[in-house]
Amino acid sequence: MEISTLTMYHCLAFVWYCFVAYSITHVRTEDRPSEVFLYGGQWKYLTVLNLVLQAVFYGVSFLADVLRLIKKLRCAKCVISSRDLLFSVLAFPVSTFVCISFWTLYTYNRELVYPKSLDGVIPLWLNHAMHTAVLPFAVLEILATPHRYPEKKKGVILLGFVAFLYISWVLWIYSVTGEWVYPLFASFSPAGLAAFFAGSLAIIISFYNFGEFLNRMLWGQSKFCF
């Protein structure tokens, strides 16, 4: 993809994710079902955190494109390194996990992840913007430009550390409120919950590996392009 076209795409994606993140964080408080929105607000939901992550990623990508356009190549190389680390370790695997896990559980029993009471609070388009569109955006990013992946061990450790932080946040909220972030968690014993978290981590790591595989198949061993 030409750099000017890529710049426009990253700019539009950045604006889109900012708009979606703004929309979900400005759902009227008085309309929120009390059993759904408890301690931590929306910042306990992986979906909302992913929107912020994607906005940051596309903002960094747009900055890298602009630096390339104005020939600030030394600065661009540094920003591209940050962009690639964000995409490989977080943006692609988290988006893929959010989309696939949400719709799998929604199809099985929506009350486990997205109670019907939310239909009157969150518009249908916003639901799909948060849970559906994130995957096509991630795949399109791989098709649009090559990304340099870190050493496998480093990438997996970073992803695992971020997953540990989120799980710790979920457990902290439960310890404070006595309520789980997702109703699904209430159906597990402590051992079952540990197994669920371990399984989820294994799945998201597999998405990391899948993203690396796609990137390698399309672009080979990616190098910085100027």
Side-chain angles (χ1 to χ4, degrees), residues 2 4 19 58 73 85 131 136 160 168-170 179-180 189 211:
E2 293 292 331
S4 57
F19 170 69
Y58 282 105
L73 302 187
L85 189 64
H131 298 116
S168 298
W169 175 226
V170 168
E179 299 284 346
W180 287 109
S189 66

Side-chain angles (χ1 to χ4, degrees), residues 57-134:
F57 165 71
Y58 282 105
V60 171
S61 298
F62 176 59
L63 175 60
D65 296 338
V66 170
L67 290 172
R68 290 171 63 189
L69 282 174
I70 63 177
K71 307 300 182 183
K72 298 290 187 180
L73 302 187
R74 182 174 299 180
C75 293
K77 186 174 182 179
C78 180
V79 176
I80 287 174
S81 180
S82 299
R83 177 202 72 182
D84 289 347
L85 189 64
L86 267 174
F87 181 77
S88 61
V89 175
L90 293 177
F92 181 84
V94 173
S95 286
T96 307
F97 181 80
V98 164
C99 179
I100 293 178
S101 62
F102 175 83
W103 288 113
T104 299
L105 291 170
Y106 185 98
T107 302
Y108 173 70
N109 181 359
R110 65 170 298 176
E111 295 299 318
L112 296 175
V113 289
Y114 194 84
K116 193 172 180 61
S117 57
L118 284 176
D119 288 345
V121 179
I122 299 176
L124 181 62
W125 74 266
L126 188 52
N127 181 20
H128 283 293
M130 295 188 296
H131 298 116
T132 308
V134 291

Side-chain angles (χ1 to χ4, degrees), residues 87-88 92 139 141-143 145-153 156 205-223:
F87 181 77
S88 61
F92 181 84
V139 173
E141 177 63 23
I142 285 185
L143 297 174
T145 188
H147 297 85
R148 178 177 289 177
Y149 273 65
E151 179 187 350
K152 177 64 66 69
K153 182 179 179 180
V156 171
I205 289 175
S206 72
F207 291 148
Y208 168 88
N209 290 329
F210 181 61
E212 184 179 30
F213 169 78
L214 287 179
N215 187 75
R216 188 187 305 115
M217 290 299 99
L218 288 168
W219 304 102
Q221 292 299 112
S222 303
K223 298 181 179 180

